[in-house]
Amino acid sequence: AQRVTQPEKLLSVFKGAPVELKCNYSYSGSPELFWYVQYSRQRLQLLLRHISRESIKGFTADLNKGETSFHLKKPFAQEEDSAMYYCALSRANDYKLSFGAGTTVTVRA
Amino acid sequence: DTGVSQDPRHKITKRGQNVTFRCDPISEHNRLYWYRQTLGQGPEFLTYFQNEAQLEKSRLLSDRFSAERPKGSFSTLEIQRTEQGDSAMYLCASTGWGSGNTGELFFGEGSRLTVL
């Protein structure tokens, strides 16, 4: 069975401070991991996926198979980063996503 | 193409009534997914299609729920004999399946159901 855990429901940081959103998963096979984001009054959209190994909007995420984690990080948070963030997992080449419960990030000026 | 569209955006109904939601995916996408989201939770998988074939249905899905994608384009999700526990946001997403696709799901804005 696939399971994604985001232990923090709410995260509040000051502008310019680092932010880290935790994500842990359980899956017996080889998963693909994603971060999706939902800004206020917008639809859910992809932020980044582990295979791409990209930095998107200053965010990075490293897949740690030993710790079964895929934490999302940004060194300097901006006010426009305030949003709901979901970690998600799919079976390889399946794209059927299992989502975590989400973390609401608020970046204060 | 304006992306994935869903209709209606909001639906209020009385317990016991039937409701139907429609999803129009991005035109070239052959995979279509339905999710349900309740307050404070992430989206929960319901079912998905590749073209017109329904490939998987969640075991959590009651037999009151049925989904179709008759011509491999738009899809409908019907809930029969609605219950208050069905109140949720119903999300549709689509993606292309095949070589070169990234696996990114494109979501609609959702259809919010309130069962009184």
Side-chain angles (χ1 to χ4, degrees), chain B residues 93-107:
Chain B
S94 70
T95 191
W97 173 255
S99 63
N101 292 112
T102 64
E104 176 178 359
L105 293 193
F106 293 83
F107 282 84

Side-chain angles (χ1 to χ4, degrees), chain A residues 33 48-56 59-65 70:
Chain A
L33 276 296
L48 55 81
R49 57 195 299 250
H50 88 271
I51 285 180
S52 302
R53 296 182 178 273
E54 296 174 300
S55 172
I56 305 292
F59 285 97
T60 58
D62 292 319
L63 178 60
N64 186 323
K65 291 187 178 181
F70 188 56

Side-chain angles (χ1 to χ4, degrees), chain B residues 56-75:
Chain B
E56 189 172 340
K57 187 174 175 180
S58 169
R59 285 172 291 177
L60 301 174
L61 206 58
S62 156
D63 58 7
R64 297 183 295 104
F65 287 71
S66 62
E68 293 183 338
R69 195 182 182 197
K71 297 182 181 179
S73 56
F74 74 91
S75 175

Side-chain angles (χ1 to χ4, degrees), chain A residues 50-103:
Chain A
H50 88 271
I51 285 180
S52 302
R53 296 182 178 273
E54 296 174 300
S55 172
I56 305 292
K57 298 184 179 183
F59 285 97
T60 58
D62 292 319
L63 178 60
N64 186 323
K65 291 187 178 181
E67 295 183 358
T68 60
S69 68
F70 188 56
H71 304 327
L72 183 68
K73 302 176 185 179
K74 184 170 182 176
F76 307 104
Q78 302 300 313
E79 289 179 75
E80 56 265 30
D81 296 327
S82 296
M84 175 71 90
Y85 292 81
Y86 295 97
C87 183
L89 173 157
S90 78
R91 301 176 294 212
N93 297 322
D94 183 273
Y95 309 152
K96 188 196 89 172
L97 295 175
S98 297
F99 286 88
T103 299

Side-chain angles (χ1 to χ4, degrees), chain B residues 3-70:
Chain B
V4 178
S5 62
Q6 294 187 242
D7 182 73
R9 294 289 311 282
H10 303 275
K11 178 72 176 178
I12 300 174
T13 191
K14 292 183 179 179
R15 185 167 51 94
Q17 298 295 304
N18 300 343
V19 296
T20 299
F21 301 114
R22 176 181 169 123
C23 172
D24 287 89
I26 293 171
S27 57
E28 64 269 26
H29 285 175
N30 52 11
R31 282 214 171 175
L32 185 148
Y33 302 77
W34 284 100
Y35 284 83
R36 175 173 61 192
Q37 187 173 22
T38 53
L39 197 62
Q41 299 299 318
E44 174 190 33
F45 169 78
L46 294 179
T47 187
Y48 82 99
F49 294 83
Q50 180 158 316
N51 300 313
E52 66 275 9
Q54 188 172 19
L55 295 190
E56 189 172 340
K57 187 174 175 180
S58 169
R59 285 172 291 177
L60 301 174
L61 206 58
S62 156
D63 58 7
R64 297 183 295 104
F65 287 71
S66 62
E68 293 183 338
R69 195 182 182 197

